């Protein structure tokens, strides 16, 4: 017997564990029982604990019958059946001992899909597996810093100053507030989900898919994947922009041929260099992710140093602002890269000569004004400080927005100028707005700078205490980054001139990065730092996205992605990396950072929206498993976060939002169509249950109105000895009648003892479900085990359905071969079921010759559905053909309604009334009234009745003779049993009495004489059959059946389907066999007949 004890001697650290054998001296670990003891956990003890490692941390479909212990583990080890637990030993395979359960939990391992683990997952030498290390990362290293690194990115350095210039400080605050509120509320929801149990690696995808189900999980997982991939493209574009604009502009391959080709040349450069960078980064990721990991801290250091240099520069600008003069012509900002002196004329050797600026505007080197730009002549050239400093009071000028259209010149408000039109060919000399801006555009461009909050949950497998670290680390990261963004907006507005802020590429400050002009000690700190940080962020996106795709592919919820679940031997997702690079290339071909940013904003916002939805749904449903350790959440906060996400999507770009939703919707429907049979205990299933419960309670308030009545079917199926469906066309008929609407329950009865035949019942249920799938029947299946078939059917009729969702119509198969069978149980069961449905006020449909009914693949292009309306029992006969004609099989058939008129009826008026009634019912059908003349009972009818009664009497005599013999045998066998003697007087034709096959009898002289007398009386009885006279009531009924059959066959012999009122069974059970004969006579000569019996209520109405 083994137990775990705390080690406190032999130099072991307090808190470590070792294993000790209680019954024998200590056994050293690593010899007989190899294992590793480490703080707080016990792993890798296969020989000792004999608990097979489960794929608990995998992303596959784990349908857990026993969520902690496999059934195969039951019975392993001698102590499994404990003497003290003998009372429970037969159930230990499904209800494990607490000790076994805890052993399983201790052995739980969580291999992440992260970065290092793939490198260490498989050793080249199979015998020398590396011992898995315990998750050791804390909140700071595991969550806080990765989130910071993911959140801070290219937008902060390249676009935040421009955003402040365009939107003004106040609206910039609003943009930052909106985006940060969105991520903060999402983080609160994410923290609740992440702390509700162990979250294996897979991060947001795993959380959403396990909370909202495979459909939402797949859709949102792919959205998150696409967002991460486009984020990689955006970071690469940012890095290229920094490289070609601020570091080495001379490296450009394409150069503008004219003054207006600058933007197209820049885009082409971005495409070429972006593709090269993407290939290099993909190669680095392919070769080894560990290199990306090693440089992660360097990239983070670059970000931190760059941000600190901004704060240092802002503080220095208070007393010593940097020198970055801006050249203004009137109130227009000039592009400084084409001239050096900001003046119209310069003095050279005491002579006033034209400056470079004059040459550019007047196209001459002398001071002639003939070809000069009028605006240039009328306005003065002046220089203003680009960085006036925090003490200059420039903040009040930068408070308000200054949105521009594309191609508009950057102007300084309230600066002296003469407003005249200048020459269009000189526009390239000014600083121009390259895109049209608005509040909505800026939201879309800024939002990617607050994404990255999932970095902590993506590393959940590496964290020592994920349930504590994820909420604390992520919320702290968001608070920190939000403070940085707010402070940067304020500092940029307080320190930098407005026209410089609106200058996206730093044209007015000699092509310097605008945020770099503020930094201290040099602009190069920001330029180099931002370049490396964007490269690092791009590498991390290209590392994370393929793993996310691999996780989705391994879940096998989107079948065509299965190939991306495979990779290198160590688990690296090679194919997923290739697809990611191809998608990122699409983003790079767009080539504009401002165009790519809103695209990834959409995908991230979609993901965050569903995280909030998952938390809100789980909270409102109060599912028993919803017990997050993080307590500071509320469904209202989740709904607010969801609303902000939705609002931001449509604010930033309504057409991108619609496209993103369309993509997510298509993926959702595809997964639903493919049938992702995953049971993850998701919230949507809980939501469905709550909605179903609410709807059922509403339905319970009263019976449905006649307008809403539709047949809710209970189809009673018969199974053969091999548990196969005997008449599958019953299911075909049900699917054609329902066309996917309303309730369909498929019921069947297995004869036997429930305890012994439970497995058969399960197998039968599965067989029926498979047949339902084949026949496209949408409904439920219920198999009942009963001692007698008649009782089982009665149970089904009484108990199927729930609340208001109960069947109102029973579909029953015809008992074929009842005449030939000596066993009366088949037709007795049939008539018993008819009586049950009548007693329960249910409608009854009996398809006769169901094997001849059409399959779902057949089409009737012509033909009639004939309705023989003999008695009115609620309008079922009119409603059924109308419903059948909704299905493609019957759609082109015409409907004919026949009714029967007696001699004293006015058949002409009846036809008019019937036509009017059908018109008011909005049913198109031909109407015919068939006159039934009073005729004498024919000899054929008399003969038929006589034959029926003779046959019935003969079978009864045979059964009586047989029963008496069996009773005699039973009496001899159980002569000492009083209880058995009493049972002799029970119903002799009871279907459930088992009949002994081999009867051994002890003969005495008296018994022999009695048997001879019985035989003699039997022979006499058979002679009496010849002299029998038929019952007059039976003759009348047979007459009706024969006459109706003649008329129906005459008119409807070629009809595709004949619907007919089904007569009720006789109240006196002695005539049951005759009733079956009447039904046979009534339907003789018809290929397909549907006998219909109403449930005693109106099911069709003329009123709207």
């Amino acid at each position: 017997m083994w137990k775990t004890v705390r080690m406190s001697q032999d130099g072991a650290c307090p808190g470590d564990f070792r294993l000790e054998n209680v019954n024998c001296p200590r056994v050293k670990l690593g010899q007989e029982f190899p294992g590793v003891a480490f703080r707080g956990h016990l792993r890798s003890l296969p020989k000792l604990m004999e608990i097979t490692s489960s794929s608990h941390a995998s992303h596959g479909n784990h349908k857990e019958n026993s969520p902690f212990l496999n059934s195969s583990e039951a019975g392993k080890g001698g102590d499994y059946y404990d003497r003290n637990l003998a009372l429970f030993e037969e159930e230990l395979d499904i209800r494990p001992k607490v000790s076994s359960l805890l052993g399983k939990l201790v052995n739980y391992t969580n291999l992440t899909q992260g970065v290092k683990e793939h490198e260490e997952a498989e050793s080249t030498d199979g015998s020398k597996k590396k011992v898995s290390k315990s998750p050791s990362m804390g909140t700071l290293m595991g969550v806080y810093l990765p989130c910071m690194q993911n959140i801070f990115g290219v937008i902060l350095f390249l676009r935040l100053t421009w955003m402040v210039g365009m939107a003004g400080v106040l609206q910039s605050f609003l943009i930052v507030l909106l985006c940060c509120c969105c991520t903060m509320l999402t983080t609160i929801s994410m923290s609740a989900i992440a702390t509700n149990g162990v979250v294996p690696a897979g991060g947001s995808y795993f959380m959403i898919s396990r909370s909202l189900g495979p459909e939402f999980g797949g859709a949102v997982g792919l959205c998150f994947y696409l967002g991460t991939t486009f984020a990689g493209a955006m970071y690469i574009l940012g890095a290229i922009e920094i490289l070609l604009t601020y570091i080495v502009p001379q490296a450009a391959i394409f150069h503008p041929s004219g003054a207006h080709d600058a933007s197209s040349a820049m885009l082409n450069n971005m495409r070429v260099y972006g593709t090269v960078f993407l290939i290099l980064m993909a190669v680095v990721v392919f070769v080894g992710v560990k290199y990306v990991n090693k440089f992660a801290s360097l990239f983070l250091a670059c970000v931190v140093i760059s941000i600190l240099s901004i704060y240092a520069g802002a503080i220095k600008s208070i007393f010593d602002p940097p020198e970055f003069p801006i050249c203004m012509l009137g109130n227009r900002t000039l592009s400084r890269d084409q001239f050096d002196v900001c003046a119209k004329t310069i003095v050279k050797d005491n002579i006033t000569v034209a400056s470079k600026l004059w040459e550019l505007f007047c196209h001459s080197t002398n001071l002639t004004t003939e070809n000069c730009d009028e605006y240039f002549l009328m306005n003065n050239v002046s220089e203003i400080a680009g960085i006036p400093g925090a003490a200059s009071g420039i903040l009040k000028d930068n408070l308000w927005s200054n949105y521009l259209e594309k191609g508009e010149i950057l102007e300084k408000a309230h600066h002296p100028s003469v407003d005249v039109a200048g020459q269009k060919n000189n526009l390239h000399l000014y600083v121009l707005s390259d895109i049209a801006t608005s509040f909505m555009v800026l939201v879309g461009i800024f939002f990617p700078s607050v994404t990255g909050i999932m970095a902590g949950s993506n590393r959940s497998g590496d964290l020592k205490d994920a349930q504590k670290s994820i909420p604390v680390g992520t919320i702290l990261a968001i608070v920190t980054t939000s403070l940085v963004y707010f402070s940067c907006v304020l500092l940029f507005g307080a320190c930098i001139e407005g026209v410089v802020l609106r200058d996206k590429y730093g044209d007015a400050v000699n092509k310097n990065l605008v945020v770099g002009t503020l930094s201290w000690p040099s602009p190069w700190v920001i330029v180099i730092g931002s370049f490396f940080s964007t490269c690092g962020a791009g590498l991390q996106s290209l590392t994370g996205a393929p793993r996310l795709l691999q996780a989705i592919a391994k879940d096998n919820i989107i079948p065509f992605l299965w190939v991306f679940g495979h990779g290198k031997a160590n688990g690296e997702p090679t194919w997923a990396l290739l697809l990611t690079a191809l998608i990122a290339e699409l983003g790079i071909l767009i080539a504009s950072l401002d165009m790519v940013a809103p695209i990834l904003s959409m995908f991230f916002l979609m993901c965050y929206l569903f995280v909030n939805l998952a938390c809100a749904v789980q909270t409102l449903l109060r599912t028993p498993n919803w017990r997050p350790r993080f307590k500071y959440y509320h469904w209202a906060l989740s709904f607010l976060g969801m609303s902000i996400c939705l609002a931001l999507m449509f604010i930033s770009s309504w057409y991108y939002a619609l496209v993103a939703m369309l993509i997510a919707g298509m993926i959702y429907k595809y997964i639903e169509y493919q049938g992702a049979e995953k049971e993850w205990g998701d919230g949507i299933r809980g939501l469905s249950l709550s909605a179903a419960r609410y709807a059922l309670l509403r339905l319970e308030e009263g019976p449905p109105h006649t307008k809403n009545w539709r047949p809710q079917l209970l189809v009673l199926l018969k199974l053969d000895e091999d548990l196969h469906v005997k008449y599958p066309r019953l299911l075909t008929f049900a699917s054609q009648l329902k066309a996917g609407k309303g309730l369909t329950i498929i019921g069947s009865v297995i004869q036997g003892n429930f305890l012994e035949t439970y497995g058969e019942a399960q197998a039968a249920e599965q067989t029926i479900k498979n047949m339902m799938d084949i026949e496209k029947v949408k409904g439920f299946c219920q198999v009942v085990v009963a001692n007698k078939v008649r009782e089982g059917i009665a149970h089904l009729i009484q108990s199927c359905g729930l609340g208001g969702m109960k069947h109102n119509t029973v579909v029953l198969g015809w008992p074929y071969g009842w005449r030939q069978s000596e066993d009366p149980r088949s037709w007795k069961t049939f008539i018993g079921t008819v009586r049950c449905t009548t007693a329960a006020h249910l409608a009854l449909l009996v398809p006769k010759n169901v094997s001849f009914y059409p399959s779902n693949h057949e089409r009737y292009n012509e033909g009639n559905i004939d309705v023989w309306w003999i008695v009115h029992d609620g309008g079922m006969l009119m409603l059924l053909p109308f419903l059948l004609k909704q299905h493609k099989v019957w759609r082109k058939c015409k409907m004919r309604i026949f009714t029967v008129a007696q001699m004293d009826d006015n058949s002409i008026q009846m036809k008019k009334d019937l036509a009017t009634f059908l018109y008011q019912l909005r049913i198109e059908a031909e109407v015919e009234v068939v006159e039934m003349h009073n005729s004498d009972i024919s000899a054929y009818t008399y003969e038929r009745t006589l034959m029926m009664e003779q046959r019935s009497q003969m079978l009864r005599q045979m059964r009586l003779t047989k029963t008496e013999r069996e009773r005699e045998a039973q009496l001899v066998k159980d002569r000492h049993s009083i209880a058995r003697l009493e049972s002799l007087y029970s119903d002799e034709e009871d279907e459930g009495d088992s009949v002994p096959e081999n009867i051994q009898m002890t003969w005495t002289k008296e018994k022999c004489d009695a048997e001879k007398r019985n035989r003699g009386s039997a022979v006499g009885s058979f002679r009496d059959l010849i002299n029998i006279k038929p019952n007059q009531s039976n003759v009348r009924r047979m007459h009706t059946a024969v006459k109706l059959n003649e008329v129906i066959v005459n008119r409807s012999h070629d009809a595709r389907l004949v619907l007919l009122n089904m007569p009720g069974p006789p109240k006196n059970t002695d005539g049951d066999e005759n009733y079956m004969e009447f039904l046979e006579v009534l339907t003789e000569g018809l290929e397909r007949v549907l006998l219909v019996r109403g449930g005693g209520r109106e099911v069709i109405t003329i009123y709207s």
Side-chain angles (χ1 to χ4, degrees):
M1 184 174 168
W2 296 87
K3 71 174 183 178
T4 307
V5 295
R6 189 174 293 277
M7 288 165 55
S8 56
Q9 63 264 25
D10 302 332
C13 300
D16 286 358
F17 295 100
R18 73 160 186 268
L19 290 170
E20 219 173 77
N21 193 331
V22 179
N23 302 326
C24 62
R26 288 165 56 185
V27 177
K28 293 182 182 177
L29 282 172
Q31 292 180 2
E32 191 174 350
F33 301 104
V36 179
F38 58 90
R39 191 183 306 271
H41 291 273
L42 189 62
R43 301 189 187 202
S44 186
L45 298 166
K47 292 182 184 178
L48 179 68
M49 301 189 76
E50 295 194 49
I51 293 179
T52 51
S53 138
S54 75
S55 58
H56 202 112
S58 74
H59 301 286
N61 174 22
H62 26 180
K63 291 189 178 177
E64 298 175 331
N65 292 328
S66 173
F68 299 109
L69 196 66
N70 294 339
S71 57
S72 61
E73 291 153 11
K76 289 187 178 182
D79 65 333
Y80 200 87
Y81 295 115
D82 200 310
R83 288 180 184 175
N84 295 329
L85 295 178
L87 195 59
F88 302 96
E89 65 186 14
E90 291 183 355
E91 293 185 327
L92 280 177
D93 56 334
I94 55 169
R95 292 179 174 83
K97 280 190 343 187
V98 174
S99 58
S100 306
L101 169 66
L102 294 177
K104 181 78 173 184
L105 292 177
V106 165
N107 218 33
Y108 174 78
T109 58
N110 187 4
L111 274 179
T112 71
Q113 206 159 338
V115 187
K116 302 175 292 187
E117 288 69 18
H118 276 308
E119 298 292 335
E120 299 170 357
E122 291 190 12
S123 173
T124 50
D125 183 4
S127 61
K128 295 181 180 178
K129 293 279 182 186
K130 289 190 179 181
V131 175
S132 59
K133 296 179 182 177
S134 64
S136 58
M137 297 180 86
T139 304
L140 181 70
M141 295 301 294
V143 182
Y144 180 72
L145 291 179
C147 281
M148 290 268 287
Q149 186 175 358
N150 276 267
I151 294 170
F152 285 134
V154 63
I155 302 294
L156 170 63
F157 303 116
L158 292 184
R159 293 291 182 269
L160 191 58
T161 52
W162 173 73
M163 187 187 88
V164 174
M166 290 294 181
V169 172
L170 294 180
Q171 287 193 24
S172 296
F173 267 138
L174 183 59
I175 291 171
V176 175
L177 182 66
L178 265 176
C179 296
C180 291
C181 279
C182 175
T183 52
M184 178 60 85
L185 292 169
T186 305
T187 301
I188 290 170
S189 299
M190 184 192 76
S191 300
I193 298 171
T195 57
N196 186 48
V198 181
V199 178
S204 59
Y205 163 68
F206 188 92
M207 287 191 300
I208 295 166
S209 62
R210 270 48 175 187
S211 296
L212 288 178
E215 294 90 355
F216 277 114
V220 179
L222 278 183
C223 281
F224 193 53
Y225 163 73
L226 290 171
T228 311
T229 305
F230 274 105
M234 184 189 76
Y235 289 130
I236 291 171
L237 289 173
I240 303 302
E241 185 178 309
I242 294 167
L243 181 73
L244 294 181
T245 310
Y246 308 115
I247 300 179
V248 277
Q250 57 273 24
I253 299 170
F254 300 93
H255 299 281
S257 55
H260 304 289
D261 295 338
S263 62
S264 59
M266 182 64 180
L267 292 178
N268 287 329
N269 285 321
M270 300 273 271
R271 290 183 182 111
V272 173
Y273 275 99
T275 305
V276 172
F277 263 55
L278 177 63
I279 292 169
L280 287 173
M281 287 184 178
V283 168
V284 169
V285 173
F286 177 75
V287 167
V289 182
K290 56 186 176 185
Y291 301 115
V292 179
N293 253 10
K294 284 177 181 174
F295 287 109
S297 52
L298 171 66
F299 297 141
L300 180 61
C302 290
V303 174
V304 174
I305 291 168
S306 301
I307 292 170
L308 291 176
S309 72
I310 294 172
Y311 286 114
I315 293 166
K316 179 179 173 290
S317 73
I318 297 172
F319 47 85
D320 184 17
E323 289 290 328
F324 281 102
I326 309 297
C327 191
M328 306 290 295
L329 177 61
N331 64 351
R332 297 179 179 179
T333 312
L334 293 171
S335 181
R336 197 62 189 261
D337 61 330
Q338 302 186 45
F339 59 91
D340 48 359
V341 179
C342 183
K344 291 184 178 183
T345 59
I346 53 172
V347 178
K348 188 182 284 185
D349 299 331
N350 291 328
I351 300 169
T352 303
V353 295
S355 66
K356 179 68 175 173
L357 199 58
W358 186 284
E359 291 178 19
L360 291 169
F361 276 98
C362 296
H363 311 292
S364 67
T365 53
N366 53 23
L367 294 173
T368 57
T369 60
E370 295 171 1
N371 299 320
C372 280
D373 188 311
E374 188 180 0
Y375 188 86
F376 177 73
L377 290 175
M378 299 293 290
N379 286 281
N380 294 322
V381 174
S382 58
E383 271 191 339
I384 58 172
I387 313 290
S392 65
I394 196 75
L395 179 62
K396 66 177 182 295
D397 294 336
N398 291 332
L399 280 177
W400 313 109
S401 61
N402 197 343
Y403 297 116
L404 300 174
E405 293 298 319
K406 184 177 181 179
E408 207 171 325
I409 300 170
L410 268 62
E411 297 178 349
K412 180 175 171 58
H414 312 302
H415 203 66
S417 69
V418 179
D419 190 14
V420 291
Q423 295 176 4
K424 285 190 175 180
N425 59 353
N426 289 330
L427 283 175
H428 66 283
L429 300 173
Y430 301 107
V431 180
L432 303 174
S433 171
D434 65 333
I435 62 168
T437 52
S438 66
F439 180 82
M440 296 187 285
V441 169
L442 294 181
V443 167
I445 292 173
F446 176 74
F447 189 79
S449 63
V450 295
T451 59
I453 58 172
M454 300 290 184
S457 61
N458 288 343
R459 287 174 171 75
S460 57
D462 298 330
L463 300 173
K464 190 186 299 180
D465 185 0
Q467 298 196 352
K468 177 186 172 188
S469 297
I470 289 175
V472 174
T474 311
I475 290 172
L476 280 177
I478 288 178
V479 169
T480 308
T481 51
S482 302
L483 289 174
V484 169
Y485 284 133
F486 280 122
S487 59
C488 282
V489 166
L490 190 63
L491 289 176
F492 293 158
C495 298
I496 305 175
E497 173 60 50
V499 287
V500 180
L501 287 173
R502 288 189 287 280
D503 182 6
K504 188 187 285 184
Y505 301 109
D507 292 324
V509 283
N510 291 327
K511 287 285 184 185
N512 274 305
L513 182 60
V514 173
V515 70
T517 58
L518 181 63
S519 64
W520 179 88
S522 164
W524 285 100
V525 175
I526 293 259
V527 172
I528 301 298
S530 59
F531 176 74
F532 279 115
S533 71
T534 47
C535 285
L539 275 172
Q540 287 197 325
S541 294
L542 288 179
T543 305
R547 281 170 177 71
L548 186 57
L549 183 62
Q550 188 181 41
I552 298 168
K554 282 187 174 178
D555 263 351
N556 198 30
I557 55 173
I558 304 175
F560 67 81
L561 290 181
W562 68 270
V563 69
F564 300 110
H566 307 293
K568 291 198 288 188
N570 64 347
E572 281 292 327
T574 313
W575 292 108
L577 176 63
L578 183 64
L579 181 67
T580 303
L582 289 173
I583 296 172
E585 178 63 21
L586 295 177
I588 283 166
L589 291 176
I590 295 172
S592 168
L593 187 70
D594 304 319
M595 294 290 285
V596 174
I599 295 174
L600 68 104
S601 293
M602 287 306 125
F603 290 125
F604 278 120
L605 279 166
M606 183 78 75
C607 180
Y608 296 166
L609 185 147
F610 281 108
V611 170
N612 284 304
L613 177 64
C615 180
V617 165
Q618 299 274 36
T619 309
L620 287 173
L621 290 178
R622 294 188 180 91
T623 47
N625 192 46
W626 180 247
R627 303 184 298 275
R629 288 187 180 278
F630 181 79
K631 300 297 181 188
Y632 308 102
Y633 68 93
H634 193 270
W635 63 265
L637 291 176
S638 299
F639 269 116
L640 181 60
M642 196 169 70
S643 306
I644 293 175
C645 287
L646 197 62
L648 286 175
M649 285 174 72
F650 282 93
I651 283 172
S652 54
S653 175
W654 63 268
Y655 43 89
Y656 278 162
L658 290 176
V659 169
M661 286 178 162
L662 182 67
I663 290 171
M666 285 167 62
I667 297 166
Y668 178 94
K669 293 307 288 182
Y670 175 77
I671 297 171
E672 189 180 51
Y673 173 75
Q674 285 297 111
E677 293 180 4
K678 307 283 181 183
E679 179 49 71
W680 288 335
D682 51 86
I684 289 297
R685 191 174 177 84
L687 185 62
S688 302
L689 286 169
S690 288
R693 173 182 163 276
Y694 174 76
L696 285 170
L697 288 172
R698 287 288 305 274
L699 284 174
E700 190 76 357
E701 290 173 5
H705 191 273
T706 305
K707 288 188 291 185
N708 297 325
W709 195 96
R710 63 165 65 242
Q712 316 287 11
L713 301 183
L714 168 62
V715 183
L716 297 173
L717 280 188
K718 191 171 184 181
L719 303 178
D720 59 17
E721 293 80 5
D722 300 325
L723 299 180
H724 293 142
V725 178
K726 205 164 185 180
Y727 303 112
R729 282 293 161 87
L730 271 177
L731 291 174
T732 314
F733 172 69
S735 73
Q736 291 167 7
L737 184 61
K738 299 298 291 176
K741 303 289 191 302
L743 175 72
T744 306
I745 302 172
I746 311 297
S748 189
V749 179
I750 291 180
Q751 195 169 354
N753 186 343
F754 178 72
L755 297 176
E756 295 167 3
T757 54
Y758 175 71
E760 282 183 39
Q762 294 290 95
E765 193 167 320
Q766 194 55 49
T767 305
I768 293 172
K769 283 181 179 174
N770 293 340
M771 188 58 71
M772 287 168 71
D773 288 340
I774 293 168
E775 297 294 342
K776 295 184 171 58
V777 177
K778 293 183 180 178
F780 309 98
C781 173
Q782 190 161 355
V783 176
V784 168
V785 178
N787 288 327
K788 300 176 184 177
V789 175
R790 227 188 300 178
E791 286 180 7
I793 290 175
H795 293 159
L796 281 173
I797 289 172
Q798 290 177 73
S799 61
C800 271
L802 181 64
M805 280 294 278
K806 290 182 75 73
H807 56 278
N808 54 29
T809 306
V810 176
V811 180
L812 179 64
W814 179 260
Y816 300 101
W818 67 272
R819 281 172 170 160
Q820 290 76 28
S821 172
E822 284 187 20
D823 186 4
R825 282 185 293 178
S826 63
W827 58 264
K828 276 182 171 290
T829 302
F830 176 81
I831 297 175
T833 306
V834 175
R835 286 198 171 100
C836 278
T837 55
T838 306
H841 300 291
L842 301 175
L844 177 67
L845 307 180
V846 181
K848 197 161 179 280
N849 303 330
V850 76
S851 306
F852 297 113
Y853 276 55
S855 70
N856 284 325
H857 305 295
E858 294 179 48
R859 301 281 187 282
Y860 286 151
N861 293 321
E862 56 182 4
N864 299 313
I865 299 176
D866 286 359
V867 176
W868 283 85
W869 190 18
I870 299 160
V871 293
H872 177 65
D873 54 0
M876 279 284 284
L877 284 167
M878 260 70 75
L879 186 63
L880 290 173
F882 171 76
L883 293 174
L884 275 175
K885 283 186 68 176
Q886 308 301 310
H887 196 274
K888 55 192 175 185
V889 172
W890 304 93
R891 190 165 292 149
K892 294 187 178 178
C893 290
K894 291 180 180 175
M895 184 171 158
R896 297 191 301 183
I897 295 185
F898 298 89
T899 190
V900 176
Q902 304 301 327
M903 282 300 291
D904 52 349
D905 291 329
N906 185 343
S907 57
I908 297 171
Q909 188 60 39
M910 274 181 72
K911 186 170 182 178
K912 284 181 182 177
D913 292 345
L914 183 55
T916 307
F917 180 59
L918 289 175
Y919 176 77
Q920 291 172 336
L921 287 175
R922 290 90 62 204
I923 290 177
E924 293 180 12
E926 292 180 29
V927 176
E928 285 194 44
V929 177
V930 179
E931 294 182 349
M932 296 273 289
H933 298 288
N934 287 336
S935 59
D936 294 334
I937 293 169
S938 64
Y940 170 75
T941 304
Y942 193 84
E943 278 297 316
R944 191 81 189 248
T945 313
L946 185 62
M947 284 169 59
M948 174 185 78
E949 293 201 358
Q950 284 177 342
R951 178 184 177 279
S952 180
Q953 188 69 22
M954 189 171 14
L955 285 172
R956 192 176 288 113
Q957 292 288 351
M958 288 169 65
R959 279 197 296 272
L960 279 170
T961 310
K962 184 180 176 185
T963 308
E964 282 174 6
R965 280 205 314 272
E966 288 164 4
R967 281 186 170 183
E968 193 71 36
Q970 195 75 8
L971 180 62
V972 173
K973 189 176 177 183
D974 299 319
R975 59 184 179 273
H976 299 299
S977 172
I978 297 170
R980 293 297 175 96
L981 277 168
E982 289 174 355
S983 73
L984 290 176
Y985 303 102
S986 63
D987 179 14
E988 74 252 18
E989 290 174 354
D990 200 345
E991 60 181 320
D993 291 345
S994 57
V995 179
E997 292 180 8
N998 299 318
I999 302 170
Q1000 297 180 359
M1001 301 177 69
T1002 305
W1003 290 98
T1004 61
K1005 189 171 184 297
E1006 293 82 5
K1007 286 186 188 298
C1008 189
D1009 293 338
E1011 181 64 19
K1012 284 177 182 177
R1013 282 196 303 274
N1014 283 339
R1015 285 180 182 171
S1017 64
V1019 171
S1021 299
F1022 285 130
R1023 283 177 186 154
D1024 292 340
L1025 288 175
I1026 301 166
N1027 303 321
I1028 196 169
K1029 283 190 175 182
N1031 185 318
Q1032 285 304 309
S1033 172
N1034 286 343
V1035 173
R1036 282 199 320 275
R1037 291 180 185 181
M1038 181 65 77
H1039 176 67
T1040 306
V1042 170
K1043 291 295 289 180
L1044 272 176
N1045 179 255
E1046 281 178 11
V1047 174
I1048 294 170
V1049 171
N1050 184 36
R1051 298 295 185 97
S1052 301
H1053 60 88
D1054 58 348
R1056 298 294 187 187
L1057 179 66
V1058 176
L1059 283 86
L1060 187 63
N1061 283 116
M1062 181 177 179
K1067 291 179 181 176
N1068 184 0
T1069 56
D1070 291 341
D1072 282 359
E1073 197 167 3
N1074 300 337
Y1075 172 69
M1076 293 299 297
E1077 190 70 38
F1078 296 144
L1079 292 181
E1080 285 283 10
V1081 171
L1082 186 63
T1083 56
E1084 261 179 1
L1086 297 172
E1087 189 179 16
R1088 283 178 287 271
V1089 185
L1090 180 63
L1091 294 168
V1092 180
R1093 190 163 165 72
R1097 62 160 293 171
E1098 291 293 330
V1099 299
I1100 196 164
T1101 178
I1102 63 174
Y1103 300 106
S1104 62

